[in-house]
């Protein structure tokens, strides 16, 4: 019988397995589309954290609703259905997925807030400004030249005349020449 489902049926006779398939499919497809979109557009040109937060919030809500629905209908199922422990695991797994999406949402929000609020935390320099070079102990003073715009080395790195005696404040080393 194609309508046999160990999750049971809703009051209106709807098969709860179809609901489980729909929720899982929506979650998998939406997460896959978001991943591919961000890979193809280089993190959505800097807007990836915003989209991450939106999709994670939607996933949190989706799995929370699914967990509540499964929990509600689990209590209504007849006792003669086999494997009741498997049926009870479905709401628990739904709430675990809800918690994981919630953690992703909070991490995305934290990332956005730290990008907005903490730009001046590196000695007054923003994320996209050059850091002042700090001499390494025992190295002789050497002139430091800023990197060429758009070329090697990348932004935030320095070309140092002696091959790397200076380092930017946040730990990326100057390239060896």
């Amino acid at each position: 019988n194609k309508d046999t489902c160990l999750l049971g049926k809703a009051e209106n006779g709807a098969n709860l397995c179809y609901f489980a398939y729909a929720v899982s499919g929506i979650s998998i497809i939406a997460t896959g589309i978001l991943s591919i979109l961000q890979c193809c557009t280089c993190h959505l040109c800097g807007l990836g954290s915003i989209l991450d937060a939106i999709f994670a919030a939607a996933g949190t809500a989706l799995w929370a609703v699914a967990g509540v629905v499964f929990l509600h209908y689990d209590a209504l199922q007849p006792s003669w259905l086999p494997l009741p422990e498997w049926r009870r695991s479905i709401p628990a797994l739904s709430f675990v997925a809800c918690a994981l999406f919630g953690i992703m949402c909070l991490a995305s929000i934290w990332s956005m807030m730290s990008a907005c609020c903490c730009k001046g935390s590196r000695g007054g320099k923003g994320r996209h400004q050059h850091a002042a070079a700090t001499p390494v102990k025992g190295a002789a003073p050497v002139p430091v030249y800023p990197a060429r715009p758009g070329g090697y080395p990348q932004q935030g790195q320095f070309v140092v005349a002696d091959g790397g005696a200076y380092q930017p404040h946040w730990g990326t080393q100057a390239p060896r020449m």
Side-chain angles (χ1 to χ4, degrees), residues 22-153:
V23 168
S24 300
I26 290 169
S27 182
I28 290 169
I29 290 170
T31 304
I33 288 171
L34 179 65
S35 298
I36 291 169
L37 185 65
Q38 286 194 12
C39 285
C40 293
T41 62
C42 296
H43 201 56
L44 290 175
C45 300
L47 299 176
S49 293
I50 295 169
L51 200 58
D52 279 344
I54 292 169
F55 269 73
T60 301
L62 175 74
W63 284 106
V65 168
V68 169
V69 167
F70 289 133
L71 195 60
H72 173 71
Y73 286 117
D74 182 48
L76 301 177
Q77 298 309 315
S79 60
W80 56 265
L81 274 176
L83 303 171
E85 62 280 354
W86 287 17
R87 209 170 25 264
R88 281 190 290 273
S89 69
I90 300 300
L93 290 173
S94 297
F95 288 123
V96 167
C98 173
L100 292 174
F101 271 100
I103 290 168
M104 287 188 328
C105 183
L106 291 175
S108 296
I109 292 171
W110 177 265
S111 174
M112 287 186 299
M113 296 300 281
S114 66
C116 291
C117 301
C118 301
K119 282 188 176 183
S121 65
R122 294 186 177 132
K125 301 287 184 188
R127 266 176 34 174
H128 300 292
Q129 296 173 345
H130 293 293
T134 305
V136 176
K137 284 185 176 183
V142 177
V144 176
Y145 307 101
R148 295 180 314 214
Y152 183 81

